[in-house]
Amino acid sequence: MSLSKDVSVEVFAADFAWGASTAAYQVEGAWDLDGRGPSIWDIFSHTKGRVFEDQNGDVACNSYRLWDEDLRCIQHLGLTHYRFSFSWSRLLPDGTTNYVNPKGVAYYNKVINDLTGKAITPMVTLNHFDLPQALEHRGGWKSPEIVDVFDSYARFCFKTFGDRVKFWITLNEPQIYAKLGYEDGLFAPGVKEKGSALYLVGHNMLRAHARVWHSYHAHFRHLQRGKVSIALNSDWAMPSDPGCPEDVAAAQRYMDFSLGWFACPVFCTGDYPESMRSRIEARNLELDFVDGQRLPKFSEDEPTVLGTADFFALNYYTSRKVKQASPRPGELSFAADQGAERTTDPSWPICGVSWLAVFPEGLRKLLSYIKETCNNPAIYITENGFAQMGPVELEDLDRCQFYRDTLQEVSKAIRDDGVNVKGYFAWSLLDNFEWTHGFSVRFGLFHVDFSRDERSRTVYRSGREYAAVVARHRGHTKFSKD
Ligand code: BGC
């Protein structure tokens, strides 16, 4: 049975965005070519023991050289939108506007012009995990200085590309960046300062995002008429035992400490969720921290964070069953603050990576949750996908089933739950550098042969079937207009 027959395409609005996503460090390669400065991921992946088999993104899919191939892939799928990120240090090698790299500007101009020339709408992420290393030396996201520097970079991008780019994502997944980069040390910059650094990093990311939204609003919006948001990831969490009040509260805390951490300030109250504040404040007393020292306070002297998103950009991958964790007295860690223990329902198949349990129904539930708790925003699903590990299967039937089920859940969210979903972006257009897993985990709609210099792209069956859905939807909307 093919995916195109199953998805109720008539539910999707005529202007629904059908996209796929990538990120600069994961696809571009050309890490030291044409004036690009190093990013924290170059340094991290060049350090022994950080990435599977010490792989790195030096070449990756070579999209810097092979952009024409990527464009062909995008066209092959019939996408209406393409989400990609700028390598900040390709544009500004030391992260600041003191020096602009003309070859970087030329590269992204070509990408953007090629897309718009084919009526494909670009959605650009300003920073997808790969902070310029020069800024890391100055304290990176832990330093309050980053807010001004990020704002200058963003203004430079709006000025240079904003006549053609109308969808901007400031930052990708601050929760993952802060937690994996500063608590677990699994992502660049590889810091393990448990229970403190991640909140400061998250705070500066929110402040930087808000500053950039305000800059766009004040100086560019009237001319460029684009939209700005921040991509937030979240699992969907359910209580392990729905009849147990402690599990219900733990599942809510799990949501508060993941989605709520960033969504609540931007979409709901202008501050962190109450449960984060109260839990962390209570634990501060126990751990001898001063109030506000771990989870910072938003200053009234800065422009508000509330309302700084023109749409909700959601990255969804998996769901969890959650129960109350046993207390960890004296332990300084995010897990101890959160007090929730996650498990995975044994009936959800694990795909590729151990953290990815497949539960498309979770996406529908999460969409409704966002509708209810975040004032019914327009939502673009900016990432969602299915991983393969081990021998390549071009006939990726499980992934086909996954996309079929997922898109059906999205259609139910729209039709039955009234959620304002405006677009869906598959992760990813291409197999690519999957961070600490290197090239061992594949998320692409196109297979990439990393063993050959050509890095040839071959469409997976899931790519063909996704293309068929897009074509059927386009055909349907054309037909219903006639
Ligand atoms: C990230 C992507 C990543 C994907 C799959 C998201 O957290 O934004 O860069 O490849 O998940 O792990």
Side-chain angles (χ1 to χ4, degrees):
M1 201 188 295
S2 95
L3 179 129
S4 58
K5 291 210 183 80
D6 285 348
V7 180
S8 315
V9 290
E10 67 286 351
V11 173
F12 299 96
D15 63 351
F16 192 81
W18 293 106
S21 299
T22 59
Y25 187 74
Q26 295 179 272
V27 299
E28 279 182 11
W31 78 285
D32 61 350
L33 277 186
D34 289 352
R36 180 183 177 278
S39 82
I40 56 171
W41 264 94
D42 297 302
I43 305 305
F44 189 75
S45 67
H46 291 167
T47 309
K48 268 204 156 327
R50 297 298 206 173
V51 176
F52 172 76
E53 291 185 349
D54 290 331
Q55 295 171 345
N56 57 56
D58 289 6
V59 182
C61 308
N62 208 4
S63 290
Y64 183 71
R65 287 269 176 258
L66 299 176
W67 159 246
D68 290 347
E69 297 288 317
D70 293 358
L71 181 62
R72 262 195 284 281
C73 295
I74 294 166
Q75 287 184 277
H76 185 110
L77 299 180
L79 301 181
T80 60
H81 289 60
Y82 178 55
R83 173 178 175 233
F84 62 102
S85 79
F86 286 166
S87 158
W88 183 346
S89 60
R90 193 180 294 290
L91 288 166
L92 310 179
D94 75 356
T96 75
T97 47
N98 292 342
Y99 174 70
V100 176
N101 176 19
K103 294 204 170 149
V105 174
Y107 173 64
Y108 292 119
N109 267 333
K110 174 154 172 53
V111 171
I112 292 164
N113 291 343
D114 285 351
L115 288 169
T116 52
K118 307 267 185 240
I120 299 157
T121 305
M123 180 185 274
V124 173
T125 309
L126 290 172
N127 187 227
H128 192 124
F129 299 164
D130 52 351
L131 186 77
Q133 180 61 27
L135 297 178
E136 189 59 32
H137 286 315
R138 292 166 54 181
W141 286 105
K142 271 172 86 176
S143 159
E145 226 193 286
I146 193 81
V147 177
D148 281 344
V149 181
F150 186 61
D151 186 47
S152 306
Y153 163 55
R155 285 174 187 238
F156 159 77
C157 292
F158 297 151
K159 230 178 279 159
T160 312
F161 307 105
D163 54 336
R164 290 149 293 151
V165 176
K166 305 300 169 189
F167 280 99
W168 295 100
I169 303 284
T170 53
L171 294 166
N172 184 66
E173 301 190 351
Q175 198 248 359
I176 292 291
Y177 187 87
K179 171 88 171 36
L180 270 61
Y182 285 85
E183 172 98 2
D184 304 337
L186 291 173
F187 272 22
V191 175
K192 289 185 190 174
E193 281 175 26
K194 291 195 176 290
S196 56
L198 83 167
Y199 297 125
L200 175 61
V201 165
H203 194 69
N204 285 334
M205 292 181 100
L206 274 168
R207 292 174 57 230
H209 158 78
R211 172 77 76 79
V212 166
W213 184 90
H214 284 286
S215 290
Y216 190 83
H217 193 64
H219 305 293
F220 298 92
R221 191 188 295 284
H222 63 291
L223 295 168
Q224 301 186 347
R225 307 197 175 281
K227 293 184 195 305
V228 179
S229 189
I230 177 168
L232 303 183
N233 62 289
S234 185
D235 302 343
W236 171 246
M238 285 173 274
S240 287
D241 174 359
C244 165
E246 286 79 19
D247 286 7
V248 172
Q252 183 58 53
R253 271 201 310 280
Y254 188 92
M255 293 305 295
D256 291 346
F257 275 73
S258 48
L259 187 73
W261 179 1
F262 296 93
C264 196
V266 174
F267 290 92
C268 313
T269 63
D271 195 8
Y272 297 113
E274 210 284 316
S275 71
M276 272 186 95
R277 280 251 173 257
S278 57
R279 294 266 315 180
I280 295 173
E281 278 166 21
R283 301 203 72 248
N284 280 348
L285 290 177
E286 178 195 327
L287 297 161
D288 273 345
F289 277 94
V290 176
D291 182 26
Q293 210 178 348
R294 289 203 300 137
L295 187 63
K297 307 223 151 134
F298 290 101
S299 155
E300 298 199 341
D301 303 333
E302 284 188 46
T304 169
V305 178
L306 183 62
T308 57
D310 303 317
F311 58 94
F312 200 112
L314 172 69
N315 294 357
Y316 168 79
Y317 286 91
T318 194
S319 291
R320 308 288 180 191
K321 292 278 173 76
V322 174
K323 58 181 184 194
Q324 171 157 279
S326 2
R328 305 180 184 201
E331 181 180 307
L332 180 60
S333 74
F334 176 81
D337 291 340
Q338 188 188 35
E341 195 180 311
R342 67 182 202 195
T343 57
T344 300
D345 190 302
S347 69
W348 302 339
I350 302 292
C351 82
V353 268
S354 60
W355 59 266
L356 214 175
V358 181
F359 187 57
E361 291 90 331
L363 175 56
R364 176 177 174 192
K365 290 178 196 291
L366 181 58
L367 289 168
S368 277
Y369 179 83
I370 292 170
K371 176 187 173 204
E372 299 308 330
T373 57
C374 297
N375 299 314
N376 193 14
I379 304 176
Y380 287 82
I381 298 159
T382 39
E383 277 181 41
N384 176 245
F386 183 100
Q388 257 188 18
M389 197 186 240
V392 170
E393 289 173 56
L394 284 175
E395 289 295 303
D396 53 347
L397 295 176
D398 289 349
R399 196 188 269 129
C400 291
Q401 180 72 44
F402 162 81
Y403 278 118
R404 181 184 308 142
D405 292 345
T406 298
L407 291 172
Q408 198 55 18
E409 292 300 320
V410 175
S411 76
K412 287 186 207 158
I414 297 171
R415 186 188 56 207
D416 302 337
D417 310 335
V419 184
N420 187 12
V421 186
K422 307 274 289 174
Y424 177 86
F425 291 66
W427 182 270
S428 174
L429 179 69
L430 306 171
D431 288 342
N432 59 45
F433 177 80
E434 177 50 26
W435 307 117
T436 45
H437 295 288
F439 301 101
S440 65
V441 170
R442 296 172 178 271
F443 272 96
L445 293 169
F446 280 80
H447 172 263
V448 176
D449 186 349
F450 295 107
S451 68
R452 302 175 71 91
D453 286 350
E454 299 81 9
R455 297 294 195 271
S456 22
R457 282 91 162 119
T458 310
V459 71
Y460 284 102
R461 179 168 180 159
S462 57
R464 288 204 307 273
E465 298 209 356
Y466 186 53
V469 176
V470 177
R472 205 156 64 83
H473 178 251
R474 285 181 147 186
H476 169 80
T477 50
K478 189 159 165 271
F479 179 72
S480 43
K481 265 189 262 153
D482 290 345

